[in-house]
Structure formats: C-alpha cells, structure tokens
Amino acid sequence: MTQHNRLRRRTLFTGAAAVAATGWLGARPLADAAPSEGTDCHGGLFTAVRQPDPAGSPASVRFRVAGAWGDPVPVHRTAHGRDDRPGTLSEIIPVPAGADRLDVISENALVPSIFAPVTAQPFRTAVSTSYAWGFPAVTRSGWGADESLMTWGEPEYAPAQVITVHHTQIPTGREYDDYRDAVTGVYRFHALPDPDGQGWGDLGYHLMIDPNGVIYSARHTGADDSPIFKPGSDLRPGAEIITAGHVRGANSGNIGICLIGDFTSALPSKPALHSLDTVLTRLCSALSLNPFAQVGYTNPTTGLTTTVPTVSGHRDWQSVCGETTCPGDFLHTILPLLTALSQLG
C-alpha cells in the first residue's frame, strides 16, 4: 500500500436478490418501522450517503451496537463544498464505536458509503515547509499530497474578505500514527468522485491544523510554497486567495481554516489553539481585517451578499450553506477570545 492510500472506502449494497425483490439499494421506506438486517459497517469511521434532495423526503440512518438498534440519525445535505459543484454525498455521520450494521431509512434508493482509516508507517524524514506568510505551513509535497487526485480545474482568485474556522469532526486524528495521514484522508474524501468522495477535485480548506499545532497547506494554489494566496502575491489588504470549497455558496474571498478533531464537547489542544491564534493574528493584521467586526460579505462570482463576523465559525453561514454544527460548540464559543488575542497581536 502506498503512503497516499490512507483512507479506504467500502460501498455497501444489499445482495442482488434482495435488490431485485425490493427495489432498494440498502434503503428502506420510511413506513417500515422495523430495522432491516442493514449493511456491514464494522470497522467504519464514518458514513455518508448520496446527497439527499433538499426538496425530497427526509432520510436517516441507524446503527446496531451489541445487537440493539439505536435511534435514527438524520441525514443532512452537506454545508461544505464548491459553489459551482455541490457535494454528491451528505454530511458525514460518525459510526459509533462497536457498531456492526447500518440501516438506511428513506423513501429513495440511497446507497451508503463507509469510510475506514488505514494506518501507514509514520513519516520519518524532514518535510517541505513554507514560511511565506510569517507562520510555518507544511507544504502539499511535505504531507504527501497525491497530485493526480487534484482535478479541480482552472483556479479562481478573489480578494480576501473573511476567515471561516472549521473542525473535521471525523477524523479526530486519534485514528492515525501520523497526523499527515488525517490530512490525506480528508483530501481523498473531498477530491475523489462519488461514491468514493465528494467529487470537488481538491481539499476544500486553505489550511489545516493538527493537535500538535502543525499547520498544513491544503487547497492547491498553483505553487507548493504559496498556501492560501495567488502565487506571486504580497500579503497586504486586497491580496487574492485561491477559491476553495468549505462554505457552500460563499467560497470566493473566504479563507477556510480547519482544525483536526471533534470540538462538539471538548476544546482543541493548546498547541492547536496557539497555531490558530498565530494564523489569525498574521492574516488579520496583514490583510487589515478587523476581527471584532461584522462584515458585509459579497460573493464576487454569484453576487450573493450577507453579513457575518470577520472571523466566523462555519455555523455562522447557515443562512447561505444550510444546517451545520461546525466547528463544534466548544470551538465556536471561544472564537471571540481568539479574535481578541489576534487584535492584540
């Protein structure tokens, strides 16, 4: 197995005879109250199903743990993704520890994909790191990006207006011996086409930060040593950033920073928070972004306008991108403190 093949995907179907008999591919009508035998999710990290129709019937999944089926978990349309290419899979749903079967409840034929971590040998050599913007960021070549998966298309750039903070939720990072494997896993899920991933052609974030505080270049800008910004740019007000895919409908001019972990009920590590503070301080200062302000954001491509905090959490964009709890309750709660620290410098 190569070092880039760190997240495998298993698409699970019912047997051919069952499909012929019922017409469903791993899905049951909502009226059927009793769980079916479901599909195998043993060892899975998270699941996602083909993007539900926003105007269609609701869908949910349930998991069997120790022989008992749990309560249904709603399936939500993804709030991440490109403005011009919405994700084909739903928001991710964590597979509970010990779950062995997954049951899809829907009036449509929804096919679940199960994603499981594959650990690799830790990196043992020094890696390429960019210092272009006043903080160290491991380059894409440094964390081992397989550039054959980078199929985004022609890059687009727009002046930076806002910064949005995310969490991965899954993976938490604990699944890997080396956090660069977590970055690679997210990359594959974002870049690969349905049913192996969302089909965006690249990472949706500009930067990622691991629990050790290591910062990673994410979205490909066109130059390995120039994360976030158009190659050849100076870090100044109006500097143009590469358009990414982290807030569906509001990506142009929107810098996306994602912390590896689930911060629904816990804070990020101190090293991760320190690195996030460092990045926010440097970017807000150099770009003349007021971290305390509400800003009138305009998507220069679509003309969409909305008002959000200059430094926002993904959930602050729900009027645009749809329902999301990202970046988790705890991280979202402390964002005002981080913006205050970034103002102090």
Side-chain angles (χ1 to χ4, degrees), residues 278-292:
T278 299
V279 171
L280 293 177
T281 299
R282 180 60 177 150
L283 294 180
C284 287
S285 175
L287 297 171
S288 293
L289 300 178
N290 182 349
F292 292 116

Side-chain angles (χ1 to χ4, degrees), residues 2 7 16 18 20 38-39 80-81 83 86 92 105 117 132-133 172 183 197 226 231 233 238-239 250 261 311 342:
T2 67
L7 188 70
T39 48
H80 299 75
D83 296 346
I92 64 174
I105 307 170
W133 313 127
T172 64
V183 177
S226 179
S233 296
V311 178
S342 69

Side-chain angles (χ1 to χ4, degrees), residues 22-336:
T22 66
W24 306 106
L25 292 175
R28 301 187 298 104
L30 292 168
D32 181 4
S36 69
E37 286 302 311
T39 48
D40 178 22
C41 65
H42 183 266
L45 184 61
F46 64 88
T47 186
V49 300
R50 184 165 288 112
Q51 189 77 28
D53 181 355
S57 301
S60 61
V61 298
R62 72 178 91 191
F63 300 92
R64 189 178 71 180
V65 179
W69 289 96
D71 294 331
V73 178
V75 173
H76 295 295
R77 186 184 186 202
T78 183
H80 299 75
R82 298 173 55 158
D83 296 346
D84 62 342
R85 191 189 302 172
T88 55
L89 298 179
S90 68
E91 285 282 16
I92 64 174
I93 301 171
V95 174
D100 62 352
R101 307 295 290 183
L102 177 155
D103 186 41
V104 180
I105 307 170
S106 171
E107 292 181 351
N108 303 307
L110 301 181
V111 181
S113 294
I114 305 295
F115 296 84
V118 177
T119 58
Q121 290 297 317
F123 291 78
R124 300 186 185 278
T125 58
V127 296
S128 172
T129 302
S130 170
Y131 295 87
W133 313 127
F135 51 82
V138 175
T139 65
R140 288 171 63 94
S141 63
W143 55 260
D146 179 354
E147 297 299 359
S148 70
L149 305 183
M150 212 298 287
T151 58
W152 186 284
E154 287 297 314
E156 296 180 351
Y157 304 93
Q161 300 180 55
V162 290
I163 301 172
T164 302
V165 177
H166 302 258
H167 72 163
T168 57
Q169 184 185 14
I170 298 291
T172 64
R174 293 189 298 271
E175 304 88 355
Y176 302 94
D177 295 325
D178 190 302
Y179 289 128
R180 279 167 288 192
D181 289 333
V183 177
T184 298
V186 176
Y187 175 40
R188 293 178 63 84
F189 179 63
H190 284 189
L192 289 171
D194 175 29
D196 296 306
Q198 290 288 16
W200 300 329
D202 198 3
L203 265 163
Y205 310 115
H206 291 92
L207 297 175
M208 297 184 70
I209 300 174
D210 76 21
N212 285 333
V214 178
I215 304 165
Y216 301 88
S217 305
R219 173 79 172 96
H220 194 1
T221 63
D224 197 44
D225 62 351
S226 179
I228 307 174
F229 296 93
K230 185 176 183 178
S233 296
D234 295 322
L235 190 54
R236 55 175 175 75
E240 293 189 333
I241 67 170
I242 185 78
T243 298
H246 57 102
V247 176
R248 180 170 50 83
N251 284 299
S252 295
N254 188 348
I255 299 173
I257 304 172
C258 183
L259 276 64
I260 296 173
D262 182 356
F263 307 117
T264 304
S265 56
L267 286 171
S269 67
K270 289 181 180 180
L273 289 175
H274 175 76
S275 291
L276 178 59
D277 173 48
T278 299
V279 171
L280 293 177
T281 299
R282 180 60 177 150
L283 294 180
C284 287
S285 175
L287 297 171
S288 293
L289 300 178
N290 182 349
F292 292 116
Q294 297 279 321
V295 62
Y297 168 83
T298 300
N299 187 322
T301 302
T302 65
L304 175 141
T305 61
T306 190
T307 300
V308 292
T310 303
V311 178
S312 62
H314 189 186
R315 66 176 63 180
D316 295 318
W317 294 90
Q318 290 186 89
S319 64
V320 175
C321 66
E323 183 178 354
T324 179
T325 60
C326 181
D329 293 344
F330 275 56
L331 179 52
H332 189 259
T333 297
I334 66 167
L335 280 181

